[in-house]
Amino acid sequence: MTVTKMSWRPQYRSSKFRNVYGKVANREHCFDGIPITKNVHDNHFCAVNTRFLAIVTESAGGGSFLVIPLEQTGRIEPNYPKVCGHQGNVLDIKWNPFIDNIIASCSEDTSVRIWEIPEGGLKRNMTEALLELHGHSRRVGLVEWHPTTNNILFSAGYDYKVLIWNLDVGEPVKMIDCHSDVILCMSFNTDGSLLTTTCKDKKLRVIEPRSGRVLQEANCKNHRVNRVVFLGNMKRLLTTGVSRWNTRQIALWDQEDLSMPLIEEEIDGLSGLLFPFYDADTHMLYLAGKGDGNIRYYEISTEKPFLSYLMEFRSPAPQKGLGVMPKHGLDVSACEVFRFYKLVTLKGLIEPISMIVPRRSDSYQEDIYPMTPGTEPALTPDEWLGGINRDPVLMSLKEGYKKSSKMVFKAPIKEKKSVVVNGIDLLENVPPRTENEVAGLRVSVPHGLSARGDPQVFTVWTAP
């Protein structure tokens, strides 16, 4: 005799994160007077770690970003020193997860650059990068560090290519060439053995990064994907995008079968991009709308209904982008489980927002702080490129993390030459122009004058 279990689900869900709330830092703990970039590229323009906050700024000619020590809150002087070596707008910045004074930036000038920020921050403008990486033939929109391997960096350009850089040698060592349009987003699984991308060609892909092989592909005609995030080790992906009725929606996918989403959920009718953030330690998903002030949060489980809505943090000030503090930089004594750094362009303000679990006890809350990926890499570039996968090296937050990584970055010595990967000279092999470029051809004229009369590389548009 077979017994069928009745599926009974109580209306009330018990969850330790049911009452998580967002708390905005006091004004004196915000960063004020920052000329946040007005660029409309869909990135965060902000990166944060336990020591520094970096923000892409508006600047005349070329691209620059600020790096501010975290303790230096309050008003930032207008002449505060900048990192300003790029010849075009900076489109993305990311801190090295294992060396906390190394930051990567990419730009419209087609280069990726690696910068070393001195102890205590900048005292003067920094124009010389540790490494200049040239391999893309168009502007570079995204950079991502490998999550478990030291000195492996991914960059995605408007030439539709993803390059994998080994910074030990300062060269691109692999090229992923499976996209037919601009890559919108990249995300890794926990050990960095898989990469998922969204693309303007309306496809969601799961890629084996070392071979460039596409393992799974979804054609998202009804759910136009914008952003994607791997949900830790759940073998699930979450995408944000737009439905056929132009409403914002999210979709949950099985990474091994992208034929159909597991669930699709409408969020609202607003038009701004939805940025997803996932915290694998608490299984919480945060959705923040670009151009609105709301951050919704959910709990994710492996069983139906998969996604449980918890609450919404509301604020009248619209966000342009959000930086996220790494887990080991959180205040565990205040039961803080996530911290955003919100860019409020109109006020030139960066506002920390702490997500807090309300608990009365002063003791360390083991259940909300499991062991978490720390600051030690699990692999060297050669090991990872040789095919080895390893989970992140975990650390406990119990002692209130303060120690600094012992790793240092040694820049390789490079000669200028052609960039050949997979037998292709990357700078010779250019795809057809995007629609933005069809309107005209961009020509860089060195040593011209910018609109303000500064000596600059400036850009002329001529008929194609």
Side-chain angles (χ1 to χ4, degrees), residues 316-352:
Q319 56 232 0
K320 183 183 180 73
L322 294 149
V324 170
M325 174 61 78
K327 208 72 190 193
H328 53 264
L330 299 179
D331 182 355
V332 296
S333 64
C335 295
E336 183 183 38
V337 289
F338 213 75
R339 190 190 306 157
F340 293 103
Y341 284 76
K342 170 175 164 172
L343 276 61
V344 186
T345 318
L346 300 172
K347 299 180 183 170
L349 186 68
I350 313 292
E351 205 175 52

mmCIF file of all heavy atoms in Angstrom, residues 316-352:
data_model
loop_
_atom_site.group_PDB
_atom_site.id
_atom_site.type_symbol
_atom_site.label_atom_id
_atom_site.label_comp_id
_atom_site.label_asym_id
_atom_site.label_seq_id
_atom_site.Cartn_x
_atom_site.Cartn_y
_atom_site.Cartn_z
ATOM 1 N N PRO A 316 12.745 57.906 0.054
ATOM 2 C CA PRO A 316 12.315 58.796 -1.034
ATOM 3 C C PRO A 316 13.448 59.124 -2.011
ATOM 4 O O PRO A 316 13.180 59.526 -3.138
ATOM 5 C CB PRO A 316 11.847 60.057 -0.299
ATOM 6 C CG PRO A 316 12.559 60.030 1.015
ATOM 7 C CD PRO A 316 12.792 58.599 1.359
ATOM 8 N N ALA A 317 14.702 58.961 -1.581
ATOM 9 C CA ALA A 317 15.830 59.361 -2.452
ATOM 10 C C ALA A 317 16.158 58.237 -3.430
ATOM 11 O O ALA A 317 16.431 57.116 -3.020
ATOM 12 C CB ALA A 317 17.048 59.674 -1.584
ATOM 13 N N PRO A 318 16.127 58.513 -4.751
ATOM 14 C CA PRO A 318 16.410 57.451 -5.732
ATOM 15 C C PRO A 318 17.882 57.045 -5.725
ATOM 16 O O PRO A 318 18.760 57.873 -5.504
ATOM 17 C CB PRO A 318 16.016 58.088 -7.067
ATOM 18 C CG PRO A 318 16.086 59.558 -6.853
ATOM 19 C CD PRO A 318 15.810 59.800 -5.397
ATOM 20 N N GLN A 319 18.131 55.751 -5.967
ATOM 21 C CA GLN A 319 19.514 55.270 -6.001
ATOM 22 C C GLN A 319 19.985 55.103 -7.438
ATOM 23 O O GLN A 319 19.259 54.623 -8.288
ATOM 24 C CB GLN A 319 19.638 53.936 -5.246
ATOM 25 C CG GLN A 319 18.715 52.824 -5.717
ATOM 26 C CD GLN A 319 17.924 52.193 -4.583
ATOM 27 O OE1 GLN A 319 18.034 52.561 -3.421
ATOM 28 N NE2 GLN A 319 17.106 51.208 -4.914
ATOM 29 N N LYS A 320 21.221 55.542 -7.705
ATOM 30 C CA LYS A 320 21.815 55.346 -9.038
ATOM 31 C C LYS A 320 22.504 53.994 -9.101
ATOM 32 O O LYS A 320 22.511 53.322 -10.119
ATOM 33 C CB LYS A 320 22.821 56.454 -9.324
ATOM 34 C CG LYS A 320 23.411 56.348 -10.733
ATOM 35 C CD LYS A 320 24.442 57.403 -10.986
ATOM 36 C CE LYS A 320 25.025 57.291 -12.386
ATOM 37 N NZ LYS A 320 24.102 57.735 -13.431
ATOM 38 N N GLY A 321 23.100 53.611 -7.983
ATOM 39 C CA GLY A 321 23.792 52.328 -7.890
ATOM 40 C C GLY A 321 24.013 52.017 -6.431
ATOM 41 O O GLY A 321 23.723 52.839 -5.559
ATOM 42 N N LEU A 322 24.529 50.818 -6.149
ATOM 43 C CA LEU A 322 24.737 50.404 -4.762
ATOM 44 C C LEU A 322 26.027 49.597 -4.658
ATOM 45 O O LEU A 322 26.227 48.652 -5.423
ATOM 46 C CB LEU A 322 23.578 49.532 -4.280
ATOM 47 C CG LEU A 322 22.217 50.227 -4.177
ATOM 48 C CD1 LEU A 322 21.103 49.238 -4.452
ATOM 49 C CD2 LEU A 322 22.017 50.846 -2.800
ATOM 50 N N GLY A 323 26.878 50.003 -3.721
ATOM 51 C CA GLY A 323 28.029 49.168 -3.391
ATOM 52 C C GLY A 323 27.636 48.245 -2.251
ATOM 53 O O GLY A 323 26.709 48.549 -1.492
ATOM 54 N N VAL A 324 28.337 47.122 -2.125
ATOM 55 C CA VAL A 324 28.019 46.171 -1.052
ATOM 56 C C VAL A 324 29.293 45.849 -0.270
ATOM 57 O O VAL A 324 30.316 45.499 -0.858
ATOM 58 C CB VAL A 324 27.417 44.868 -1.633
ATOM 59 C CG1 VAL A 324 27.313 43.798 -0.560
ATOM 60 C CG2 VAL A 324 26.041 45.138 -2.222
ATOM 61 N N MET A 325 29.208 45.974 1.052
ATOM 62 C CA MET A 325 30.332 45.645 1.925
ATOM 63 C C MET A 325 30.519 44.125 1.969
ATOM 64 O O MET A 325 29.548 43.397 2.155
ATOM 65 C CB MET A 325 30.036 46.171 3.338
ATOM 66 C CG MET A 325 31.068 45.766 4.382
ATOM 67 S SD MET A 325 32.739 46.368 4.061
ATOM 68 C CE MET A 325 32.611 48.072 4.578
ATOM 69 N N PRO A 326 31.765 43.627 1.804
ATOM 70 C CA PRO A 326 31.982 42.188 1.989
ATOM 71 C C PRO A 326 31.558 41.755 3.395
ATOM 72 O O PRO A 326 31.547 42.555 4.333
ATOM 73 C CB PRO A 326 33.493 42.016 1.801
ATOM 74 C CG PRO A 326 33.960 43.256 1.134
ATOM 75 C CD PRO A 326 32.999 44.351 1.483
ATOM 76 N N LYS A 327 31.220 40.488 3.519
ATOM 77 C CA LYS A 327 30.660 39.958 4.766
ATOM 78 C C LYS A 327 31.555 40.234 5.981
ATOM 79 O O LYS A 327 31.081 40.549 7.064
ATOM 80 C CB LYS A 327 30.471 38.446 4.579
ATOM 81 C CG LYS A 327 29.373 37.848 5.382
ATOM 82 C CD LYS A 327 28.011 38.217 4.870
ATOM 83 C CE LYS A 327 26.970 37.776 5.862
ATOM 84 N NZ LYS A 327 25.620 37.796 5.368
ATOM 85 N N HIS A 328 32.872 40.113 5.790
ATOM 86 C CA HIS A 328 33.776 40.266 6.941
ATOM 87 C C HIS A 328 33.948 41.720 7.364
ATOM 88 O O HIS A 328 34.649 42.009 8.323
ATOM 89 C CB HIS A 328 35.137 39.622 6.663
ATOM 90 C CG HIS A 328 35.778 40.093 5.405
ATOM 91 N ND1 HIS A 328 35.672 39.404 4.216
ATOM 92 C CD2 HIS A 328 36.525 41.178 5.132
ATOM 93 C CE1 HIS A 328 36.326 40.061 3.273
ATOM 94 N NE2 HIS A 328 36.850 41.136 3.801
ATOM 95 N N GLY A 329 33.274 42.648 6.658
ATOM 96 C CA GLY A 329 33.330 44.058 7.069
ATOM 97 C C GLY A 329 32.098 44.495 7.841
ATOM 98 O O GLY A 329 31.957 45.672 8.179
ATOM 99 N N LEU A 330 31.177 43.551 8.123
ATOM 100 C CA LEU A 330 29.919 43.912 8.798
ATOM 101 C C LEU A 330 30.108 44.005 10.310
ATOM 102 O O LEU A 330 31.046 43.442 10.870
ATOM 103 C CB LEU A 330 28.837 42.872 8.482
ATOM 104 C CG LEU A 330 28.477 42.714 7.003
ATOM 105 C CD1 LEU A 330 27.420 41.640 6.829
ATOM 106 C CD2 LEU A 330 28.006 44.029 6.396
ATOM 107 N N ASP A 331 29.183 44.697 10.945
ATOM 108 C CA ASP A 331 29.208 44.848 12.405
ATOM 109 C C ASP A 331 28.393 43.709 13.024
ATOM 110 O O ASP A 331 27.168 43.789 13.127
ATOM 111 C CB ASP A 331 28.610 46.213 12.775
ATOM 112 C CG ASP A 331 28.655 46.467 14.278
ATOM 113 O OD1 ASP A 331 29.055 45.554 15.032
ATOM 114 O OD2 ASP A 331 28.271 47.576 14.694
ATOM 115 N N VAL A 332 29.092 42.639 13.430
ATOM 116 C CA VAL A 332 28.363 41.466 13.947
ATOM 117 C C VAL A 332 27.751 41.757 15.322
ATOM 118 O O VAL A 332 26.757 41.145 15.709
ATOM 119 C CB VAL A 332 29.265 40.207 14.014
ATOM 120 C CG1 VAL A 332 29.698 39.790 12.632
ATOM 121 C CG2 VAL A 332 30.470 40.409 14.905
ATOM 122 N N SER A 333 28.305 42.729 16.044
ATOM 123 C CA SER A 333 27.755 43.040 17.378
ATOM 124 C C SER A 333 26.384 43.701 17.256
ATOM 125 O O SER A 333 25.589 43.687 18.198
ATOM 126 C CB SER A 333 28.712 43.958 18.150
ATOM 127 O OG SER A 333 28.823 45.197 17.479
ATOM 128 N N ALA A 334 26.078 44.283 16.076
ATOM 129 C CA ALA A 334 24.760 44.912 15.867
ATOM 130 C C ALA A 334 23.825 43.991 15.080
ATOM 131 O O ALA A 334 22.765 44.424 14.638
ATOM 132 C CB ALA A 334 24.934 46.232 15.122
ATOM 133 N N CYS A 335 24.258 42.716 14.875
ATOM 134 C CA CYS A 335 23.467 41.749 14.086
ATOM 135 C C CYS A 335 23.203 42.268 12.666
ATOM 136 O O CYS A 335 22.117 42.059 12.107
ATOM 137 C CB CYS A 335 22.155 41.399 14.783
ATOM 138 S SG CYS A 335 22.408 40.545 16.334
ATOM 139 N N GLU A 336 24.209 42.932 12.102
ATOM 140 C CA GLU A 336 24.107 43.430 10.724
ATOM 141 C C GLU A 336 24.413 42.276 9.765
ATOM 142 O O GLU A 336 25.460 41.633 9.886
ATOM 143 C CB GLU A 336 25.122 44.564 10.539
ATOM 144 C CG GLU A 336 25.078 45.211 9.172
ATOM 145 C CD GLU A 336 26.166 46.280 9.009
ATOM 146 O OE1 GLU A 336 27.294 46.087 9.500
ATOM 147 O OE2 GLU A 336 25.885 47.298 8.358
ATOM 148 N N VAL A 337 23.503 41.999 8.820
ATOM 149 C CA VAL A 337 23.720 40.874 7.899
ATOM 150 C C VAL A 337 24.050 41.318 6.468
ATOM 151 O O VAL A 337 24.455 40.500 5.649
ATOM 152 C CB VAL A 337 22.512 39.904 7.876
ATOM 153 C CG1 VAL A 337 22.427 39.119 9.174
ATOM 154 C CG2 VAL A 337 21.201 40.632 7.582
ATOM 155 N N PHE A 338 23.876 42.590 6.155
ATOM 156 C CA PHE A 338 24.179 43.089 4.812
ATOM 157 C C PHE A 338 24.332 44.594 4.933
ATOM 158 O O PHE A 338 23.687 45.209 5.779
ATOM 159 C CB PHE A 338 23.015 42.760 3.860
ATOM 160 C CG PHE A 338 23.435 42.469 2.439
ATOM 161 C CD1 PHE A 338 24.035 41.263 2.115
ATOM 162 C CD2 PHE A 338 23.205 43.382 1.412
ATOM 163 C CE1 PHE A 338 24.409 40.967 0.801
ATOM 164 C CE2 PHE A 338 23.579 43.103 0.103
ATOM 165 C CZ PHE A 338 24.180 41.887 -0.204
ATOM 166 N N ARG A 339 25.205 45.185 4.092
ATOM 167 C CA ARG A 339 25.307 46.653 4.104
ATOM 168 C C ARG A 339 25.486 47.186 2.689
ATOM 169 O O ARG A 339 26.387 46.771 1.972
ATOM 170 C CB ARG A 339 26.476 47.127 4.968
ATOM 171 C CG ARG A 339 26.426 48.666 5.187
ATOM 172 C CD ARG A 339 27.696 49.201 5.823
ATOM 173 N NE ARG A 339 28.013 48.498 7.055
ATOM 174 C CZ ARG A 339 29.254 48.431 7.572
ATOM 175 N NH1 ARG A 339 30.266 49.036 6.957
ATOM 176 N NH2 ARG A 339 29.481 47.775 8.685
ATOM 177 N N PHE A 340 24.577 48.077 2.331
ATOM 178 C CA PHE A 340 24.643 48.759 1.033
ATOM 179 C C PHE A 340 25.291 50.124 1.198
ATOM 180 O O PHE A 340 25.194 50.741 2.266
ATOM 181 C CB PHE A 340 23.231 48.988 0.474
ATOM 182 C CG PHE A 340 22.500 47.742 0.091
ATOM 183 C CD1 PHE A 340 21.499 47.226 0.902
ATOM 184 C CD2 PHE A 340 22.792 47.085 -1.098
ATOM 185 C CE1 PHE A 340 20.805 46.083 0.545
ATOM 186 C CE2 PHE A 340 22.103 45.943 -1.467
ATOM 187 C CZ PHE A 340 21.108 45.433 -0.651
ATOM 188 N N TYR A 341 25.917 50.608 0.129
ATOM 189 C CA TYR A 341 26.357 52.001 0.045
ATOM 190 C C TYR A 341 25.622 52.591 -1.152
ATOM 191 O O TYR A 341 25.899 52.240 -2.293
ATOM 192 C CB TYR A 341 27.883 52.086 -0.126
ATOM 193 C CG TYR A 341 28.599 51.805 1.171
ATOM 194 C CD1 TYR A 341 28.713 50.505 1.648
ATOM 195 C CD2 TYR A 341 29.121 52.829 1.947
ATOM 196 C CE1 TYR A 341 29.336 50.238 2.864
ATOM 197 C CE2 TYR A 341 29.754 52.581 3.157
ATOM 198 C CZ TYR A 341 29.858 51.274 3.608
ATOM 199 O OH TYR A 341 30.478 51.021 4.809
ATOM 200 N N LYS A 342 24.652 53.445 -0.847
ATOM 201 C CA LYS A 342 23.715 53.919 -1.868
ATOM 202 C C LYS A 342 24.171 55.240 -2.461
ATOM 203 O O LYS A 342 24.496 56.180 -1.727
ATOM 204 C CB LYS A 342 22.343 54.066 -1.193
ATOM 205 C CG LYS A 342 21.294 54.778 -2.014
ATOM 206 C CD LYS A 342 19.973 54.736 -1.273
ATOM 207 C CE LYS A 342 18.984 55.719 -1.819
ATOM 208 N NZ LYS A 342 17.655 55.542 -1.227
ATOM 209 N N LEU A 343 24.189 55.306 -3.798
ATOM 210 C CA LEU A 343 24.585 56.534 -4.495
ATOM 211 C C LEU A 343 23.348 57.387 -4.759
ATOM 212 O O LEU A 343 22.452 56.974 -5.495
ATOM 213 C CB LEU A 343 25.248 56.198 -5.839
ATOM 214 C CG LEU A 343 26.745 55.866 -5.813
ATOM 215 C CD1 LEU A 343 27.020 54.638 -4.966
ATOM 216 C CD2 LEU A 343 27.269 55.649 -7.230
ATOM 217 N N VAL A 344 23.306 58.555 -4.112
ATOM 218 C CA VAL A 344 22.194 59.494 -4.330
ATOM 219 C C VAL A 344 22.760 60.656 -5.143
ATOM 220 O O VAL A 344 23.367 61.590 -4.607
ATOM 221 C CB VAL A 344 21.611 59.988 -2.978
ATOM 222 C CG1 VAL A 344 20.363 60.833 -3.220
ATOM 223 C CG2 VAL A 344 21.286 58.814 -2.064
ATOM 224 N N THR A 345 22.565 60.599 -6.461
ATOM 225 C CA THR A 345 23.245 61.539 -7.373
ATOM 226 C C THR A 345 22.858 62.988 -7.107
ATOM 227 O O THR A 345 23.704 63.871 -7.099
ATOM 228 C CB THR A 345 22.899 61.198 -8.839
ATOM 229 O OG1 THR A 345 22.947 59.782 -8.982
ATOM 230 C CG2 THR A 345 23.871 61.819 -9.795
ATOM 231 N N LEU A 346 21.547 63.227 -6.899
ATOM 232 C CA LEU A 346 21.078 64.615 -6.774
ATOM 233 C C LEU A 346 21.727 65.328 -5.601
ATOM 234 O O LEU A 346 21.958 66.524 -5.637
ATOM 235 C CB LEU A 346 19.552 64.634 -6.615
ATOM 236 C CG LEU A 346 18.767 64.022 -7.781
ATOM 237 C CD1 LEU A 346 17.286 63.915 -7.437
ATOM 238 C CD2 LEU A 346 18.970 64.838 -9.046
ATOM 239 N N LYS A 347 22.043 64.569 -4.539
ATOM 240 C CA LYS A 347 22.631 65.204 -3.351
ATOM 241 C C LYS A 347 24.145 65.029 -3.297
ATOM 242 O O LYS A 347 24.775 65.496 -2.342
ATOM 243 C CB LYS A 347 22.024 64.582 -2.095
ATOM 244 C CG LYS A 347 20.516 64.756 -1.969
ATOM 245 C CD LYS A 347 20.044 64.096 -0.680
ATOM 246 C CE LYS A 347 18.528 64.195 -0.548
ATOM 247 N NZ LYS A 347 18.033 63.369 0.570
ATOM 248 N N GLY A 348 24.731 64.313 -4.260
ATOM 249 C CA GLY A 348 26.167 64.030 -4.189
ATOM 250 C C GLY A 348 26.508 63.267 -2.927
ATOM 251 O O GLY A 348 27.522 63.513 -2.275
ATOM 252 N N LEU A 349 25.647 62.296 -2.602
ATOM 253 C CA LEU A 349 25.703 61.653 -1.279
ATOM 254 C C LEU A 349 25.870 60.143 -1.425
ATOM 255 O O LEU A 349 25.246 59.524 -2.289
ATOM 256 C CB LEU A 349 24.380 61.952 -0.554
ATOM 257 C CG LEU A 349 24.222 61.524 0.900
ATOM 258 C CD1 LEU A 349 25.134 62.334 1.806
ATOM 259 C CD2 LEU A 349 22.770 61.710 1.337
ATOM 260 N N ILE A 350 26.716 59.553 -0.582
ATOM 261 C CA ILE A 350 26.798 58.089 -0.464
ATOM 262 C C ILE A 350 26.295 57.738 0.931
ATOM 263 O O ILE A 350 26.856 58.186 1.933
ATOM 264 C CB ILE A 350 28.243 57.569 -0.634
ATOM 265 C CG1 ILE A 350 28.913 58.205 -1.839
ATOM 266 C CG2 ILE A 350 28.248 56.037 -0.695
ATOM 267 C CD1 ILE A 350 28.372 57.832 -3.179
ATOM 268 N N GLU A 351 25.263 56.912 0.972
ATOM 269 C CA GLU A 351 24.534 56.655 2.215
ATOM 270 C C GLU A 351 24.631 55.174 2.588
ATOM 271 O O GLU A 351 24.099 54.327 1.874
ATOM 272 C CB GLU A 351 23.066 57.002 1.928
ATOM 273 C CG GLU A 351 22.220 57.378 3.088
ATOM 274 C CD GLU A 351 20.829 57.815 2.612
ATOM 275 O OE1 GLU A 351 20.163 57.076 1.840
ATOM 276 O OE2 GLU A 351 20.411 58.905 3.008
ATOM 277 N N PRO A 352 25.326 54.831 3.684
ATOM 278 C CA PRO A 352 25.330 53.426 4.102
ATOM 279 C C PRO A 352 23.950 53.015 4.638
ATOM 280 O O PRO A 352 23.312 53.769 5.382
ATOM 281 C CB PRO A 352 26.374 53.382 5.226
ATOM 282 C CG PRO A 352 27.185 54.631 5.072
ATOM 283 C CD PRO A 352 26.242 55.653 4.501
#
